[in-house]
Amino acid sequence: MRAVVQRVTNSSVTVDEQITGKIGKGLMVLIGVEDGDTEKDAEYIAKKVTALRVFDDAEGVMNLSVQDIGGEILAVSQFTLLGDVRKGNRPSYFTAARPEEADRLYRKVIDLIKEKGIHVEEGIFQAEMLVQIDNDGPVTILLESHKLF
């Protein structure tokens, strides 16, 4: 499972000209589920997202988590994170999980984050979405549950 985590001042996702999710200060999390991922991968991503210390403390040091600052999370499923372009220029998505399994594990990540008391907004699974991200910093962190990077 992969995730791109961005520290944001605000972020939103729109589907068919309707905002389906909107947050203020917090994290924008794009989540890609790979074939073979399990609930352990979802647990790893949820734990890392909620514990990432990417917000400034009183001394201006990135030392606080989204939970510490009372921030929010906007989660969007994004299978294109699994795009492989090592051969050619058109991404191959053969490692992406089937939609049913991807949705189940994406939901598991969201449920685990909510269990920590963090407010989560969402996109719509498999919909064409317009995502607005006001990346703060910019701060962008890549997560990979198989620890490839």
Side-chain angles (χ1 to χ4, degrees):
M1 189 175 291
R2 292 184 180 161
V4 173
V5 182
Q6 296 183 312
R7 183 178 75 181
V8 299
T9 55
N10 59 72
S11 188
S12 67
V13 62
T14 302
V15 177
D16 295 327
E17 299 183 21
Q18 297 284 2
I19 293 175
T20 64
K22 183 176 181 177
I23 64 166
K25 187 173 184 175
L27 298 174
M28 171 67 208
V29 183
L30 305 169
I31 301 168
V33 180
E34 191 169 12
D35 189 35
D37 282 345
T38 67
E39 291 198 8
K40 285 215 172 285
D41 296 287
E43 291 165 6
Y44 176 85
I45 295 295
K47 182 178 179 181
K48 281 292 191 183
V49 165
T50 58
L52 279 175
R53 297 184 332 180
V54 295
F55 295 93
D56 292 348
D57 63 16
E59 285 78 43
V61 177
M62 286 196 296
N63 201 28
L64 301 174
S65 71
V66 68
Q67 197 167 16
D68 294 333
I69 66 154
E72 303 172 290
I73 290 177
L74 177 57
V76 172
S77 176
Q78 188 175 0
F79 79 95
T80 61
L81 293 180
L82 285 297
D84 184 347
V85 293
R86 290 177 291 179
K87 186 176 182 181
N89 294 315
R90 183 178 12 190
S92 171
Y93 302 106
F94 73 94
T95 63
R98 304 289 309 152
E100 304 77 27
E101 185 64 2
D103 187 35
R104 183 182 78 78
L105 290 172
Y106 164 72
R107 298 243 153 266
K108 181 68 176 176
V109 171
I110 291 169
D111 290 344
L112 290 167
I113 292 170
K114 286 180 176 179
E115 285 177 12
K116 300 267 188 183
I118 299 169
H119 178 76
V120 179
E121 295 276 321
E122 304 176 46
I124 296 178
F125 189 81
Q126 289 189 298
E128 288 287 326
M129 295 175 267
L130 179 62
V131 180
Q132 176 262 320
I133 302 170
D134 289 340
N135 192 326
D136 182 21
V139 174
T140 302
I141 306 294
L142 305 176
L143 300 176
E144 222 294 331
S145 64
H146 303 285
K147 302 175 187 168
L148 298 175
F149 51 81

